[in-house]
Amino acid sequence: MTARPNSPRAGVVVSLPTGDAVDAVGELPPGVELLVWDGRGAPPAGAERIEFFVGRYDTPPPPGAALAGLPELRVVQLLSAGVEPWLDVVPDGVRLYNGRGIHGASTAELALAGMLAVLRELPLFERARAAHEWVQAVTDGLACRRVLVLGTGDIGARVAQAVRIFDADVTVVARSARPGVHTLAELPALLPDHDVVVIAVPHTPETHRLVDARFLAAMPDGAVLVNIARGAIADTDALLAELTGGRLRAFLDVTDPEPLPADHPLWDAPNLLLTPHVGGGTRGWERRAYRLVAAQLQRYVAGEPLVNAVEHGY
């Protein structure tokens, strides 16, 4: 998604979240001035001229007052695909852009890795290895399995493309209808016919607790739920009940709550493979992230449309 073009700009002041980001962003158009500030603590000299603010990836957003106190602010650029923590922080009239494309490949990669690990029962073989036991077993695989991918964004599209390589039959579902894409309203009829369900939609009011007890009950016995989106899209208690009862299996990179408290029952749930929200956590993500930032700055200075505009919360 692109934003409307502006007139070319000169003397643009940009706020980057860390000193390392200054080197990572590389060569910029003439006249661009860089400040290092993540919105916390006292703003640096010249902050009142900041037009383009880059949010920090590894922490929550800064207080809303920090951004509200920047009279020249026009753009907030995120390094994450998810935007929900920022929606109440970005001032009215300021355009918000996400990091679509930065983490898509690595997150889809983890979704595929977790899906295959569950289907091929790799934890079983790891336990046998630890016990020095030569255990052979016939497992599930992706070939001829029916995979439902919920989401048509960068991550969902990559997952759908990848599982097709392994001869899986893929069904794609999104919030709006289009050729080859089913809608959320069709989920009750689709779920019973799929062996794997991958959650790759943004967390919005529409998708909050979408994966509830009724959703899970519609999945067939032995099916696998893969959530690499946001934990709050699933009802944790309902999922726990299905896992504990042994009817469903799951791979989760996200949970609700998150981080998961040490005494939470999800830690000990059977039929579950869990990673601690590391979908985008591959080495080199910073290069991809600041390549996008640099390209966005080039567009902004030239008065061209920016990509990845956030509209209606996503």
Side-chain angles (χ1 to χ4, degrees):
M1 185 177 292
T2 59
R4 291 174 297 177
N6 302 301
S7 301
R9 296 175 180 273
V12 175
V13 179
V14 178
S15 178
L16 297 177
T18 66
D20 290 343
V22 175
D23 294 329
V25 78
E27 186 176 352
L28 294 173
V32 172
E33 179 183 346
L34 298 180
L35 300 178
V36 177
W37 187 50
D38 65 359
R40 292 169 177 80
E48 71 281 357
R49 296 186 291 117
I50 291 173
E51 292 184 48
F52 196 111
F53 181 93
V54 179
R56 189 160 182 153
Y57 177 66
D58 55 355
T59 63
L67 298 186
L70 303 178
E72 299 300 318
L73 185 64
R74 299 292 179 269
V75 169
V76 172
Q77 173 67 56
L78 303 185
L79 306 182
S80 61
V83 300
E84 59 271 23
W86 289 81
L87 295 178
D88 294 330
V89 173
V90 177
D92 291 342
V94 174
R95 299 303 303 269
L96 177 63
Y97 300 85
N98 74 2
R100 175 188 170 104
I102 296 173
H103 308 287
S106 57
T107 304
E109 177 183 82
L110 184 64
L112 187 65
M115 183 192 312
L116 288 170
V118 172
L119 289 170
R120 296 304 305 265
E121 300 185 38
L122 297 190
L124 166 68
F125 299 117
E126 173 59 17
R127 290 191 297 270
R129 184 201 63 81
H132 297 195
E133 297 176 352
W134 189 261
V135 174
Q136 293 180 312
V138 176
T139 70
D140 292 328
L142 269 175
C144 300
R145 294 292 166 183
R146 301 157 301 176
V147 178
L148 187 153
V149 179
L150 182 51
T152 56
D154 185 34
I155 297 168
R158 290 174 185 271
V159 171
Q161 181 182 30
V163 297
R164 287 189 179 101
I165 295 173
F166 293 95
D167 295 328
D169 296 321
V170 180
T171 301
V172 179
V173 176
R175 287 168 292 186
S176 57
R178 68 204 79 161
V181 178
H182 298 267
T183 65
L184 294 178
E186 298 175 80
L187 276 173
L190 293 171
L191 288 170
D193 295 327
H194 289 82
D195 307 296
V196 180
V197 176
V198 181
I199 308 301
V201 289
H203 179 221
T204 67
E206 185 181 12
T207 62
H208 183 75
R209 298 288 190 274
L210 174 66
V211 183
D212 58 10
R214 181 177 297 182
F215 183 110
L216 296 168
M219 294 173 63
D221 292 353
V224 179
L225 178 75
V226 175
N227 189 358
I228 39 80
R230 288 293 184 267
I233 296 173
D235 183 324
T236 301
D237 291 340
L239 179 57
L240 265 170
E242 293 284 12
L243 296 173
T244 303
R247 203 182 68 78
L248 297 180
R249 298 173 286 174
F251 167 63
L252 305 178
D253 184 47
V254 290
T255 61
D256 182 27
E258 190 175 301
L260 201 61
D263 60 350
H264 197 282
L266 204 57
W267 287 113
D268 300 309
N271 305 304
L272 172 65
L273 182 62
L274 177 69
T275 54
H277 203 153
V278 294
T282 56
R283 295 180 181 92
W285 74 265
E286 295 94 341
R287 290 194 301 274
R288 299 190 299 273
Y290 286 102
R291 191 182 303 129
L292 172 64
V293 171
Q296 292 283 69
L297 278 170
Q298 293 280 0
R299 296 182 184 103
Y300 183 76
V301 171
E304 299 172 355
L306 277 64
V307 301
N308 296 356
V310 174
E311 303 282 358
H312 310 298
Y314 60 90

